[in-house]
Amino acid sequence: MSVVSSVESVRPTSKRRAGGKVQRMPREVRERQMLDAAVEVFAKRGYNAASMDEIAELAGASKPLVYLYLHSKEDLFSACIRREADALTAALRAVIVPGVPADRRLWNGLLAFFAHTAEHPAGWAVLSCQARTHGEPFALVVAELRQELAGLVTRLIEETAEAAGCAVPPTEAAGLAHALVGAAESLAGWANADADDGRSESETAAMLMNVVWVGLESLMSGRRWTQAARP
């Protein structure tokens, strides 16, 4: 039996109002419920072990309806990754705004990053772990996210250098940005794993900010590490 032809077996997507009238649940609301459930299951089980039955049950829908709306397990996983990546990017873009000193923008970005990943641990687990272990096309979405985040940080580093009256080669700025993004990702995983230790997102952000900003200040002032002379 096909998914479409079995629609009569799908659980109702509507609820009955007083007086017997039926109010249908908007499709976008139902899809959001499915994606919410899928993110939780994928984060907990992993892509291979996650079952459409469990996702449907958690979403309060039938499996045929999940397939009808989101087509396949692969499409559902891709939709989850894209949604979580877009949400994280939007959270950062909302606080990294022009007209604010570079150090404040960097701090705002780090704080927003750690706050978002702490508030959405399942979404972050899907992005940081599950999506990277199953190859294309899933890993490509994460790579695009990392590139976008690195681009934002690269511009901050370049603007910081410009404000300090010095120049950082483009390749060095890009390399530092990628290193910062990688460090933030690793620190978010560590913080979420120990989420019950009472540490705030602000404290986590300050750990990385202290290292990064002190290092950038040294770089801007011309102080660089040099290998000690060997005997």
Side-chain angles (χ1 to χ4, degrees):
M1 181 183 298
S2 68
V3 170
V4 176
S5 64
S6 64
V7 70
E8 66 273 8
S9 67
V10 171
R11 296 179 185 176
T13 61
S14 58
K15 58 182 179 181
R16 193 169 297 279
R17 289 176 174 172
K21 293 183 178 180
V22 172
Q23 179 184 17
R24 299 191 66 81
M25 182 179 293
R27 177 174 180 138
E28 60 270 19
V29 175
R30 175 59 81 186
E31 286 189 1
R32 184 171 65 248
Q33 292 176 339
M34 293 176 182
L35 289 172
D36 289 343
V39 167
E40 293 294 331
V41 175
F42 284 133
K44 180 180 179 181
R45 308 286 187 197
Y47 176 74
N48 291 329
S51 75
M52 297 294 275
D53 290 290
E54 184 177 4
I55 291 169
E57 181 178 0
L58 186 59
S62 69
K63 186 165 69 170
L65 186 61
V66 176
Y67 277 114
L68 182 64
Y69 278 17
L70 295 160
H71 312 303
S72 69
K73 183 178 177 180
E74 180 176 327
D75 288 340
L76 177 57
F77 191 49
S78 293
C80 289
I81 295 169
R82 177 59 66 185
R83 188 188 74 163
E84 298 306 314
D86 289 345
L88 177 56
T89 302
L92 296 183
R93 287 193 174 279
V95 299
I96 303 178
V97 295
V100 178
D103 64 330
R104 176 54 55 179
R105 277 182 288 161
L106 180 58
W107 166 251
N108 290 344
L110 288 175
L111 186 57
F113 177 85
F114 290 115
H116 185 89
T117 54
E119 291 167 6
H120 304 87
W124 178 241
V126 168
L127 281 176
S128 63
C129 300
Q130 303 302 330
R132 293 180 178 175
T133 58
H134 296 286
E136 298 181 4
F138 310 132
L140 291 178
V141 178
V142 179
E144 291 171 2
L145 171 65
R146 295 188 84 251
Q147 190 62 42
E148 184 167 3
L149 298 182
L152 290 173
V153 178
T154 298
R155 288 190 289 276
L156 285 178
I157 293 174
E158 291 173 339
E159 291 168 10
T160 300
E162 183 178 352
C166 60
V168 175
T171 53
E172 186 172 2
L176 291 172
H178 279 276
L180 174 56
V181 170
E185 291 174 347
S186 179
L187 193 55
W190 171 78
N192 282 359
D194 294 324
D196 297 330
D197 67 354
R199 182 181 51 255
S200 68
E201 293 83 20
S202 179
E203 290 172 317
T204 303
M207 291 180 188
L208 189 53
M209 186 69 184
N210 285 330
V211 173
V212 172
W213 196 254
V214 170
L216 284 176
E217 284 186 328
S218 294
L219 184 63
M220 298 308 122
S221 62
R223 298 195 303 273
R224 291 175 176 266
W225 175 84
T226 56
Q227 186 175 4
R230 294 181 178 180

